[in-house]
Amino acid sequence: LHARLKTEPDFQAVSQKKVQVALQSIRSGYCSGDFPATQTLPWEVTDFGYKGKGVKALSPIQRGTILLKEKPIVTMKFEMARDISASCNEDMAKQMANSLSLDFMAAAFEKLPPADQARLLELCDCAALFGVDVGTQPKLLSAKFWSNGVPGPPAASDPTEEDTVLCPTVARFNHNCKPNAIYTWHGSAKAGEVCVVAVADIPAGEEVCVCYLPTDLITDTTEERQAWTKETFGFQCRCPCCEGDSAKIFEEHRLEMEKLRAEIRTVVSDLPSATSDLLGRGMRAAKKLLELCRANGYTSPARMRILGWEGYNLSVASQLPEEEVKSWAKLRHESLVLEKGEKSEEAQLAASFLGKPARNLADLQRQDQQMRKLR
């Protein structure tokens, strides 16, 4: 290809390196993330056996790296997704065959350019796992959408809810109950891009995975998590948290973490009436939970964000030294940067708490009110 381009007057100055990067971008269908056009991506879409296509790190990836930014090729508004799901009693097979979904996807597909149509059709789907016959194109398209859709931007009618979007490259990231990446709008909702962000240091050769589970299910038992993936996507999760010796260790840790969270919540839910002894117990539980999470890689931004806020509240109420108070504020801020983006309102507000931490319960209450206004 490079040799052919060199014969064209408009392309004589194009280097072989630029051609290689362009070809890689076409194959991956990506938007650059943290990587300029002149840099080769540190990951690739490849085959992972029974799991199908997935994403593998080609070189070490640092925590906090934006691996991908991609604009959706299909967006289903929250209201439509809600109505389809409700009318089908959240039954995936019925959602794939729903007439409203079939009509929506047929119309959406017709509007796509040929390249995006091809990328959509290349995606795997779980129709066969639910016994759905995709003999007609509308059913096939609907199956592709429900099998690969991810949470989108806040819904216009209700900012606490989300649209559902389809991004062909984002869809290539497989599931793990202890992911090393997340997908998020990462402060780029206005640009209309879904981001995939590394939330752990990822060595070369390791699969890059996100977690498909809703936040409130991450701490469920192995059986409950596997039941959810089976019911929602047709597969029983076989990640290290769900199978093998490592699953037994994770279950022990999960029970311990739940116990510590319960202790922390008991104290934080009523700080004004908490005795010094109760505050001490809550603070010790928070420190132990943080140590357990960091030692075993259970450091998802959503989990650390909550723990950071709880530790911050406990340390202020306990009148601990400012440096310790700031350490919890820093944990919350760093988690929000990963989850929402450094320029997001949430991260900027958390940075202000880090710069000027609360000194008493009255300050905490004011800061809590500031946070609530952003929700």
Side-chain angles (χ1 to χ4, degrees), residues 292-306:
L292 180 61
C293 288
R294 283 178 168 168
N296 296 281
Y298 310 136
T299 53
S300 71
R303 182 177 294 163
M304 292 296 99
R305 164 175 54 82
I306 294 170

Side-chain angles (χ1 to χ4, degrees), residues 98-278:
N98 179 271
S99 59
L100 186 59
S101 178
L102 299 181
D103 292 343
F104 169 79
M105 281 306 300
F109 186 78
E110 189 67 26
K111 295 175 183 177
L112 293 176
D116 284 341
Q117 289 181 342
R119 293 173 66 205
L120 190 159
L121 292 173
E122 286 175 357
L123 294 175
C124 295
D125 62 75
C126 54
L129 298 175
F130 288 101
V132 175
D133 180 8
V134 290
T136 63
Q137 188 179 64
K139 276 192 177 181
L140 176 63
L141 297 174
S142 181
K144 301 284 187 188
F145 178 81
W146 289 110
S147 302
N148 295 283
V150 300
S157 61
D158 184 352
T160 65
E161 300 291 351
E162 298 164 320
D163 296 334
T164 301
V165 300
L166 180 62
C167 301
T169 308
V170 170
R172 295 298 189 184
F173 290 82
N174 288 321
H175 165 77
N176 193 304
C177 291
K178 191 176 80 172
N180 51 21
I182 58 171
Y183 39 56
T184 170
W185 285 81
H186 205 270
S188 64
K190 292 181 180 178
E193 297 168 333
V194 176
C195 297
V196 178
V197 184
V199 294
D201 291 333
I202 306 172
E206 185 172 299
E207 185 177 11
V208 184
C209 292
V210 297
C211 183
Y212 295 173
L213 297 168
T215 304
D216 59 342
L217 293 183
I218 293 173
T219 55
D220 281 359
T221 66
T222 299
E223 292 74 18
E224 289 168 330
R225 295 194 309 275
Q226 289 181 323
W228 188 88
T229 59
K230 185 74 173 177
E231 181 180 319
T232 307
F233 293 105
F235 71 89
Q236 181 171 295
C237 183
R238 294 164 57 183
C239 78
C241 292
C242 293
E243 284 195 352
D245 293 337
S246 58
K248 297 176 183 177
I249 297 172
F250 176 73
E251 182 61 16
E252 292 174 2
H253 289 165
R254 187 191 69 79
L255 292 172
E256 178 67 12
M257 289 189 289
E258 284 303 286
K259 179 182 175 182
L260 293 170
R261 285 195 188 94
E263 288 184 41
I264 295 167
R265 283 193 292 264
T266 297
V267 183
V268 173
S269 63
D270 192 11
L271 282 177
S273 63
T275 63
S276 59
D277 179 61
L278 199 58

Side-chain angles (χ1 to χ4, degrees), residues 51 217 334:
K51 296 167 71 173
L217 293 183
E334 290 177 343

Side-chain angles (χ1 to χ4, degrees), residues 2 14-24 37-40:
H2 182 244
V14 175
S15 68
Q16 186 171 358
K17 179 69 173 178
K18 285 187 176 180
V19 173
Q20 290 172 338
V21 171
L23 284 172
Q24 185 181 23
T38 55
Q39 182 178 340
T40 303

